């Protein structure tokens, strides 16, 4: 007989085919036991050192910006543009102000001396040299011409008009011409011959004219037209100093024939012309006398 204790009897379990049942599951839930948190049912993401592709949500699962977020972005962009425009305006105004101050600043160069007003004066160059000598002739100013000098220059070489205080007929016996004649017996010279029985008569058409050369420049104040029965209803008077350039001094559209005494302001003239534009009847224009006083 030995002192060793006898081996306790072992619990023999019957052999059951398949995996051994979990004693915890068979025993049921234990009060107070820790349970792992529930796992999400969607796709899992791998982090850390886990290898393999990481699961990401599809395009339909990504968060989209709502109306409030878009409005905030627009407001921010508008504010930025406003600030930039204000800065540019300030910069432009500042540059313009500097330019104005610079342009208004008085010149540091001395004012040139006005030597052209003194006859015979010559400007003195500040620094002698070829350039100063070349600029000297152009710096001399020519005195301005007065109105009297201009008038005298325009009439230079032209004789003064003579006055006719006695009222003499200046056309008497002077050369006369006309646009046309009815015949040799009615030539223009018969209107200035001083004979009341002779006359000038034109062709039977409009317009027609007769002119007389006074021989020199006279101050004309009066023209007398002594009409025959064929007179002008519409006609005018013109004067000229050279027989080329004419200036009309009188006109009528209500001629009645007879003796027509026309008074005008004193006008320098060497040539005096009457032009008819509408006659009274079927005949031409006819004058017993064409007097200039």
């Amino acid at each position: 007989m030995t002192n060793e204790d006898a081996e306790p009897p072992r619990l023999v379990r019957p052999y059951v085919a398949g995996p051994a049942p979990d004693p915890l599951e068979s025993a049921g839930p234990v009060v107070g036991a820790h349970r792992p948190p529930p796992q999400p049912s969607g796709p899992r993401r791998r982090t850390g050192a886990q290898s393999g592709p990481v699961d990401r949500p599809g395009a339909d699962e990504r968060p989209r910006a709502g109306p409030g977020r878009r409005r905030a972005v627009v407001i921010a962009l508008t504010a930025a543009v406003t600030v930039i425009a204000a800065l540019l305006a300030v910069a432009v105004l500042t540059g313009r102000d500097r330019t104005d101050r610079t342009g208004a600043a008085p010149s540091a160069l001395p004012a040139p001396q006005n030597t052209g007003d003194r006859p015979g004066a010559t400007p003195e160059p500040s620094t002698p040299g070829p350039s100063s000598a070349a600029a000297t002739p152009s710096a001399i100013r020519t005195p301005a011409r007065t109105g009297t000098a201009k008038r005298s220059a325009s009439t230079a070489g032209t004789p003064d008009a003579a006055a006719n205080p006695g009222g003499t007929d200046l056309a008497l016996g002077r050369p006369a011409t006309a646009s046309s004649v009815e015949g040799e017996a009615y030539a223009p010279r018969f209107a200035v011959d001083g004979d009341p029985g002779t006359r000038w008569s034109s062709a039977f058409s409009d317009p027609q004219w007769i002119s007389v050369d006074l021989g020199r420049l006279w101050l004309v104040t009066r023209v007398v037209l002594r009409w025959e029965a064929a007179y002008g209803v519409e006609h005018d008077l013109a004067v000229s100093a050279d027989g080329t350039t004419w200036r009309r001094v009188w006109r009528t559209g209500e001629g009645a024939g007879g003796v027509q005494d026309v008074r005008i302001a004193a006008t320098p003239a060497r040539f005096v012309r009457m032009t008819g534009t509408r006659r009274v009847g079927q005949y031409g224009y006819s004058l017993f006398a064409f007097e200039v006083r």
Side-chain angles (χ1 to χ4, degrees), residues 75-233:
I75 293 174
L77 291 177
T78 304
V81 170
T82 303
V83 172
I84 293 174
L87 293 177
L88 290 176
V90 171
V92 170
L93 293 177
T94 304
R96 184 180 301 174
D97 183 54
R98 292 179 180 177
T99 303
D100 294 342
R101 289 198 301 268
T102 303
S107 175
L109 297 178
Q113 298 180 355
N114 185 5
T115 59
D117 296 336
R118 300 195 303 271
T122 304
E124 299 179 359
S126 57
T127 303
S131 60
S132 300
T136 299
S138 62
I140 301 176
R141 298 192 329 185
T142 303
R145 296 181 179 179
T146 61
T148 305
K150 289 183 179 180
R151 287 193 296 270
S152 61
S154 64
T155 57
T158 302
D160 294 334
N164 184 22
T168 305
D169 182 9
L170 303 174
L172 183 62
R174 299 303 306 173
T177 57
S179 57
S180 65
V181 293
E182 183 182 349
E184 289 295 330
Y186 307 103
R189 67 178 183 274
F190 294 122
V192 293
D193 63 353
D195 185 352
T198 60
R199 61 188 173 92
W200 161 75
S201 182
S202 72
F204 303 165
S205 62
D206 291 319
Q208 302 293 336
W209 57 265
I210 182 173
S211 173
V212 60
D213 181 359
L214 305 180
R216 63 160 297 172
L217 206 63
W218 289 91
L219 285 176
V220 177
T221 59
R222 181 182 175 192
V223 177
V224 179
L225 302 175
R226 300 184 185 275
W227 292 100
E228 196 254 349
Y231 61 89
V233 177

Side-chain angles (χ1 to χ4, degrees), residues 43-57:
R44 298 181 180 180
R45 296 183 181 181
R46 299 181 180 180
T47 58
Q50 296 180 356
S51 60
V54 179
D55 298 334
R56 299 180 182 276

